């Protein structure tokens, strides 16, 4: 399970040093793809394969499933982190997420999310106050 918030920097070659506490679980390979709210999702390869299997079960006649699958898979980039725990984020994904130098990397249970620091700060400012109210709708019966 991925937890916590980290603030690495993107190097001049577009590489991200994965947080040390995430490296063991990601050492076997990652898939980086577009996420919601203009962030990037980083999945361990087995988790990406599980999601791909779920998407493959959706009927081809389902328009939303086709549209989501196209973007999800077309933007995906697979890679094995190097010995220093670095992965290269391709230019099209850096552009999509507006990644500059300062990043925020968060653990989001079964995936890691990569955000531009300014975008993450804006997202938190807009959504943190609603956090307590959202819990009831997301977790029936509450915690």
């Amino acid at each position: 399970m991925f937890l916590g918030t980290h603030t690495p920097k993107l190097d001049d070659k577009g590489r991200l040093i994965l947080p040390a506490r995430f490296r063991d679980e990601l050492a076997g390979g990652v898939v980086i793809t577009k996420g919601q709210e203009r962030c990037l999702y980083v999945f361990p390869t087995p988790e990406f394969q599980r999601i791909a299997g779920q998407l493959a079960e959706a009927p081809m006649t389902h328009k939303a499933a086709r549209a989501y699958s196209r973007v999800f898979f077309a933007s995906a980039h697979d890679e094995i982190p190097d010995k220093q725990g670095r992965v290269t984020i391709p230019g099209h994904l850096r552009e999509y997420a507006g990644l500059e130098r300062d990043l925020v990397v968060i653990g989001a249970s079964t995936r890691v999310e990569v955000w531009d620091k300014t975008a993450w700060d804006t997202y938190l400012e807009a959504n943190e106050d609603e956090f307590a109210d959202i819990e009831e709708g997301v977790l029936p019966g509450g915690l």
Side-chain angles (χ1 to χ4, degrees):
M1 179 179 293
F2 299 105
L3 303 171
T5 302
H6 309 270
T7 54
K9 297 200 182 295
L10 199 62
D11 74 12
D12 293 337
K13 296 179 181 178
R15 294 178 301 193
L16 162 69
I17 298 176
L18 296 167
R21 64 183 321 180
F22 297 167
R23 289 183 200 160
D24 285 346
E25 193 166 346
L26 298 174
V30 300
V31 179
I32 307 168
T33 192
K34 291 179 178 179
Q36 269 61 51
E37 291 86 32
R38 294 275 175 177
C39 74
L40 301 179
Y41 291 163
V42 180
F43 295 101
T45 301
E47 177 65 8
F48 185 83
Q49 290 169 337
R50 184 190 68 76
I51 294 166
Q54 287 181 317
L55 288 169
E57 291 176 12
M60 297 272 289
T61 56
H62 194 279
K63 186 176 182 177
R66 284 193 318 271
Y68 186 83
S69 289
R70 285 179 184 133
V71 173
F72 189 72
F73 292 114
S75 64
H77 168 77
D78 61 333
E79 185 169 345
I80 295 176
D82 70 12
K83 289 181 171 120
Q84 288 79 39
R86 296 178 299 193
V87 292
T88 300
I89 300 177
H92 73 281
L93 291 174
R94 290 194 312 266
E95 184 178 324
Y96 168 80
L99 301 183
E100 298 293 332
R101 185 148 173 81
D102 294 323
L103 307 178
V104 174
V105 174
I106 65 167
S109 184
T110 61
R111 71 179 180 273
V112 172
E113 293 183 0
V114 179
W115 291 75
D116 173 75
K117 184 177 183 334
T118 302
W120 175 250
D121 291 344
T122 302
Y123 178 83
L124 273 185
E125 187 176 316
N127 291 284
E128 210 161 28
D129 288 342
E130 298 172 19
F131 176 71
D133 297 333
I134 294 171
E135 179 256 328
E136 266 186 39
V138 173
L139 297 171
L143 293 175

